[in-house]
Amino acid sequence: MIKTPIKTYLMGGEKTGWALDADQETTRQVMEGLPDLISLVPLDEADVVHSVWERPLLSMNPRLLEGKRIICHVCNEVIRIFDQSCMIHSQQLIGLWVSQSHEAEATMRSLRLRTLYMPYTILPEVFKPLLSPSREELRDRFNIPRDAYVISNFMRDSRVDDIRRPKPQKGTEVLLQIIATLLKKGYPIHVLLAGPRRHWIKARFREHGIPFTFVGCEVDGDDNTINILDPPTVNLLYQCSDLHLITSRWEGGPRGVLEAAASRTPVLCSTVGIAMDMLEPASLFSCFDEAVARIESDIRQGVLKDTVNIQFERVMRHHVPEANIPILKQIYNDVDSLPAIEYAEGGSGWKDSASSVLGTGLHRILNAARYTMGLPIKKGGGLCVSLWHEFHKPPYGGGNQFMMALRKALEHQGVRVVVNRMSEDVDVHLCNSAWFDVSLFHKTIRKRRILMLHRIDGPISLYRGADAGEDAQIYALNREFSSATIYQSGWCFQRSLALGYEPVRPLVIHNGVNNKNFYPSGCLTLRPKQKIRLVATAWSDNPRKGKSIYQWLDEHLDFDRFTLTFVGRIDAAFRNIEHIPPQTSQNLARVLREQDIYLTASENDPCSNALLEALACGLPALYFESGGHGELTGFGGLPFNGPEHLITQLERLINHYEGFKAGIWVESMDDIAAKYIGAIREVMDRLP
């Protein structure tokens, strides 16, 4: 039993003064409110390691954690955490996850992970309403027009690896389109920006002639250590705002929800993270047109003023450090029930070689020379990966399309790729479901160790509508051969666990498409006075691909106003829908770029490559609310739950076409390949 006060090492901040540092500081204050239970000490003295961020914790050498209990906060959307290669080891290292929203808590429980809810907190002595100076005086101080409707936004919107590109998580393209739409309607909008890495949105605002004020220093390069404002100044900026607008695609927080509410500033936020716990329905939006409508209502009628007191009281009741003292006390009173880390030499620790950097065979010799001379090696340089897949010349199924694209992207990043080869120069094998030479794997593991990433979709029983035992077979192979499991979507991960399957070291990495074939046409609007062009695609003629919906549309869609093209296989004869047989990737991409809106009615599709191809070609999507469709589409489309609802949602999408088109985001194949390379290196470096 651990003696009290429990010696605890608190870690995980970025040391930049941004959100993670705020979380570490407020957690420290809660701990200091329990001096008889918790004592903060250096790492080497600690019995418990408590981190507010999983990445630095999971990147530590496990030798440093031996004998300690590990507690970690969920600081992002749960499924997005699982796309990091370091999460391969999370279940072996982290004894308790602290969920900071009820959404995170529910998702963690669905993944069978031990968790307890303890919400984000802020410092009420910093973020608070001010009687003076007045709003008018503050606007004068920061050169903000007194008579404008001021919309503030303080998030980092540019990517850390390229400040010229938007950070996908923050939905900055949606923010831009919302503001542009309101200005086009004649509303007196002025935008207040603050914070580092605002390069992308400032450049777009200037291009579109959008009036804004940026509080900070204009810096061409990365300004992350320059433009992080002190919290009291940020609180003054909230006082200048009529509305604080947050457009994130996914979040653990965002902390801006709490800060705005504590300063009695109206806030409008996408349905992410803590926003759903904190905000009134009027302060939430899930789609582009909802955001525009709610802001219009506030400008005209001041409807969001009615939310301010409720949300302020909610922050003061549940989201200040004092409120978390009894929760943290419960966690630490039960800390003996958490497993202590056991480190075995040669087991879960890093190898002492540079094998994952240099690779094997001739490739390793060449890279070793470059490594010694200090010359750059590509991300995947030196690695040799065997892809187990029967490649087919397109047109063929989505899995084949993805594996072809992944192969090219891995090779582009320096990986040597072989196909269906079992040899000693292969570092890691990448296998799909049960589609690899199982007998050869059985034969080989009797002689030597094999590292294998097992890529799983499904569950097949849900996708095909019948259980023929394929899922049980796949998970038997997973237990026998897999070093780590890669799910194609969070939906696939959660549904597999719900059916009782237990994957080995799971990650979630979405599929992607070949961006050289599938790219947007550049057309941003619908063609005036012409029919609106709808398109659907499918390789398989499985009835669950949406056959009944398409047959209904063939009878009921207004073909004087629309065209509908179906590309692929389907066991149906149409009178009004144009049916085109399966096409090569280049031809399919050309057909997609000639359309306006994509439609998919498939059921329980875990990670539809057909949907990703259409989104990559710039088509906003109407999708059947099933499987992983919503996870992939995000702001780039709308769900429907039946044929009549489809027509209603189609009208919404048409009426706000530019906004939904602006919300499309598809991860690049290079980024997806980089995640696979990260997983490959992780299993090479740290698995026994």
PDB file of all heavy atoms in Angstrom, residues 391-403:
ATOM      1  N   PHE A 391      -2.974  -7.538 -55.226  1.00  0.00           N
ATOM      2  CA  PHE A 391      -3.267  -6.306 -55.941  1.00  0.00           C
ATOM      3  C   PHE A 391      -3.964  -6.601 -57.269  1.00  0.00           C
ATOM      4  O   PHE A 391      -3.600  -7.532 -57.986  1.00  0.00           O
ATOM      5  CB  PHE A 391      -1.977  -5.515 -56.195  1.00  0.00           C
ATOM      6  CG  PHE A 391      -1.449  -4.832 -54.973  1.00  0.00           C
ATOM      7  CD1 PHE A 391      -0.494  -5.447 -54.168  1.00  0.00           C
ATOM      8  CD2 PHE A 391      -1.902  -3.579 -54.606  1.00  0.00           C
ATOM      9  CE1 PHE A 391      -0.003  -4.826 -53.033  1.00  0.00           C
ATOM     10  CE2 PHE A 391      -1.418  -2.937 -53.472  1.00  0.00           C
ATOM     11  CZ  PHE A 391      -0.466  -3.564 -52.682  1.00  0.00           C
ATOM     12  N   HIS A 392      -4.969  -5.773 -57.586  1.00  0.00           N
ATOM     13  CA  HIS A 392      -5.716  -5.894 -58.838  1.00  0.00           C
ATOM     14  C   HIS A 392      -5.672  -4.565 -59.574  1.00  0.00           C
ATOM     15  O   HIS A 392      -5.741  -3.498 -58.958  1.00  0.00           O
ATOM     16  CB  HIS A 392      -7.169  -6.278 -58.571  1.00  0.00           C
ATOM     17  CG  HIS A 392      -7.335  -7.620 -57.932  1.00  0.00           C
ATOM     18  ND1 HIS A 392      -7.477  -8.783 -58.650  1.00  0.00           N
ATOM     19  CD2 HIS A 392      -7.359  -7.981 -56.620  1.00  0.00           C
ATOM     20  CE1 HIS A 392      -7.604  -9.800 -57.817  1.00  0.00           C
ATOM     21  NE2 HIS A 392      -7.533  -9.341 -56.578  1.00  0.00           N
ATOM     22  N   LYS A 393      -5.596  -4.635 -60.875  1.00  0.00           N
ATOM     23  CA  LYS A 393      -5.655  -3.423 -61.676  1.00  0.00           C
ATOM     24  C   LYS A 393      -7.063  -2.851 -61.605  1.00  0.00           C
ATOM     25  O   LYS A 393      -8.036  -3.558 -61.822  1.00  0.00           O
ATOM     26  CB  LYS A 393      -5.281  -3.734 -63.126  1.00  0.00           C
ATOM     27  CG  LYS A 393      -5.220  -2.493 -64.011  1.00  0.00           C
ATOM     28  CD  LYS A 393      -4.786  -2.864 -65.421  1.00  0.00           C
ATOM     29  CE  LYS A 393      -4.732  -1.626 -66.310  1.00  0.00           C
ATOM     30  NZ  LYS A 393      -4.305  -1.965 -67.692  1.00  0.00           N
ATOM     31  N   PRO A 394      -7.198  -1.557 -61.269  1.00  0.00           N
ATOM     32  CA  PRO A 394      -8.540  -0.960 -61.196  1.00  0.00           C
ATOM     33  C   PRO A 394      -9.232  -1.021 -62.554  1.00  0.00           C
ATOM     34  O   PRO A 394      -8.560  -1.034 -63.592  1.00  0.00           O
ATOM     35  CB  PRO A 394      -8.251   0.479 -60.777  1.00  0.00           C
ATOM     36  CG  PRO A 394      -6.899   0.439 -60.147  1.00  0.00           C
ATOM     37  CD  PRO A 394      -6.145  -0.610 -60.903  1.00  0.00           C
ATOM     38  N   PRO A 395     -10.587  -1.055 -62.536  1.00  0.00           N
ATOM     39  CA  PRO A 395     -11.451  -0.860 -61.363  1.00  0.00           C
ATOM     40  C   PRO A 395     -11.540  -2.105 -60.492  1.00  0.00           C
ATOM     41  O   PRO A 395     -11.658  -3.228 -61.001  1.00  0.00           O
ATOM     42  CB  PRO A 395     -12.809  -0.523 -61.984  1.00  0.00           C
ATOM     43  CG  PRO A 395     -12.784  -1.181 -63.333  1.00  0.00           C
ATOM     44  CD  PRO A 395     -11.363  -1.118 -63.796  1.00  0.00           C
ATOM     45  N   TYR A 396     -11.465  -1.889 -59.198  1.00  0.00           N
ATOM     46  CA  TYR A 396     -11.620  -2.961 -58.210  1.00  0.00           C
ATOM     47  C   TYR A 396     -12.115  -2.310 -56.924  1.00  0.00           C
ATOM     48  O   TYR A 396     -12.451  -1.140 -56.897  1.00  0.00           O
ATOM     49  CB  TYR A 396     -10.291  -3.703 -58.011  1.00  0.00           C
ATOM     50  CG  TYR A 396     -10.476  -5.144 -57.588  1.00  0.00           C
ATOM     51  CD1 TYR A 396     -10.905  -6.109 -58.495  1.00  0.00           C
ATOM     52  CD2 TYR A 396     -10.253  -5.538 -56.274  1.00  0.00           C
ATOM     53  CE1 TYR A 396     -11.082  -7.433 -58.118  1.00  0.00           C
ATOM     54  CE2 TYR A 396     -10.426  -6.851 -55.887  1.00  0.00           C
ATOM     55  CZ  TYR A 396     -10.846  -7.799 -56.807  1.00  0.00           C
ATOM     56  OH  TYR A 396     -11.027  -9.103 -56.421  1.00  0.00           O
ATOM     57  N   GLY A 397     -12.175  -3.063 -55.829  1.00  0.00           N
ATOM     58  CA  GLY A 397     -12.796  -2.586 -54.595  1.00  0.00           C
ATOM     59  C   GLY A 397     -11.996  -1.518 -53.872  1.00  0.00           C
ATOM     60  O   GLY A 397     -10.832  -1.252 -54.178  1.00  0.00           O
ATOM     61  N   GLY A 398     -12.660  -0.924 -52.850  1.00  0.00           N
ATOM     62  CA  GLY A 398     -12.045   0.162 -52.101  1.00  0.00           C
ATOM     63  C   GLY A 398     -10.787  -0.246 -51.365  1.00  0.00           C
ATOM     64  O   GLY A 398      -9.829   0.527 -51.270  1.00  0.00           O
ATOM     65  N   GLY A 399     -10.762  -1.476 -50.830  1.00  0.00           N
ATOM     66  CA  GLY A 399      -9.576  -1.950 -50.137  1.00  0.00           C
ATOM     67  C   GLY A 399      -8.372  -2.005 -51.060  1.00  0.00           C
ATOM     68  O   GLY A 399      -7.250  -1.652 -50.668  1.00  0.00           O
ATOM     69  N   ASN A 400      -8.602  -2.437 -52.281  1.00  0.00           N
ATOM     70  CA  ASN A 400      -7.527  -2.487 -53.271  1.00  0.00           C
ATOM     71  C   ASN A 400      -7.042  -1.079 -53.605  1.00  0.00           C
ATOM     72  O   ASN A 400      -5.836  -0.824 -53.704  1.00  0.00           O
ATOM     73  CB  ASN A 400      -8.039  -3.180 -54.533  1.00  0.00           C
ATOM     74  CG  ASN A 400      -6.951  -3.386 -55.573  1.00  0.00           C
ATOM     75  OD1 ASN A 400      -6.037  -4.177 -55.389  1.00  0.00           O
ATOM     76  ND2 ASN A 400      -7.050  -2.680 -56.680  1.00  0.00           N
ATOM     77  N   GLN A 401      -7.988  -0.142 -53.744  1.00  0.00           N
ATOM     78  CA  GLN A 401      -7.630   1.240 -54.038  1.00  0.00           C
ATOM     79  C   GLN A 401      -6.745   1.818 -52.932  1.00  0.00           C
ATOM     80  O   GLN A 401      -5.757   2.499 -53.197  1.00  0.00           O
ATOM     81  CB  GLN A 401      -8.894   2.098 -54.172  1.00  0.00           C
ATOM     82  CG  GLN A 401      -9.772   1.737 -55.348  1.00  0.00           C
ATOM     83  CD  GLN A 401      -9.182   2.195 -56.663  1.00  0.00           C
ATOM     84  OE1 GLN A 401      -8.374   1.493 -57.263  1.00  0.00           O
ATOM     85  NE2 GLN A 401      -9.575   3.370 -57.104  1.00  0.00           N
ATOM     86  N   PHE A 402      -7.133   1.538 -51.676  1.00  0.00           N
ATOM     87  CA  PHE A 402      -6.366   2.075 -50.564  1.00  0.00           C
ATOM     88  C   PHE A 402      -4.968   1.476 -50.515  1.00  0.00           C
ATOM     89  O   PHE A 402      -3.976   2.191 -50.319  1.00  0.00           O
ATOM     90  CB  PHE A 402      -7.071   1.824 -49.234  1.00  0.00           C
ATOM     91  CG  PHE A 402      -6.219   2.189 -48.049  1.00  0.00           C
ATOM     92  CD1 PHE A 402      -5.995   3.512 -47.721  1.00  0.00           C
ATOM     93  CD2 PHE A 402      -5.597   1.206 -47.287  1.00  0.00           C
ATOM     94  CE1 PHE A 402      -5.180   3.864 -46.651  1.00  0.00           C
ATOM     95  CE2 PHE A 402      -4.790   1.544 -46.217  1.00  0.00           C
ATOM     96  CZ  PHE A 402      -4.580   2.870 -45.897  1.00  0.00           C
ATOM     97  N   MET A 403      -4.852   0.163 -50.675  1.00  0.00           N
ATOM     98  CA  MET A 403      -3.543  -0.480 -50.577  1.00  0.00           C
ATOM     99  C   MET A 403      -2.603   0.003 -51.687  1.00  0.00           C
ATOM    100  O   MET A 403      -1.398   0.164 -51.467  1.00  0.00           O
ATOM    101  CB  MET A 403      -3.699  -1.990 -50.622  1.00  0.00           C
ATOM    102  CG  MET A 403      -4.376  -2.575 -49.387  1.00  0.00           C
ATOM    103  SD  MET A 403      -3.465  -2.277 -47.836  1.00  0.00           S
ATOM    104  CE  MET A 403      -2.137  -3.461 -48.002  1.00  0.00           C
TER     105      MET A 403
END
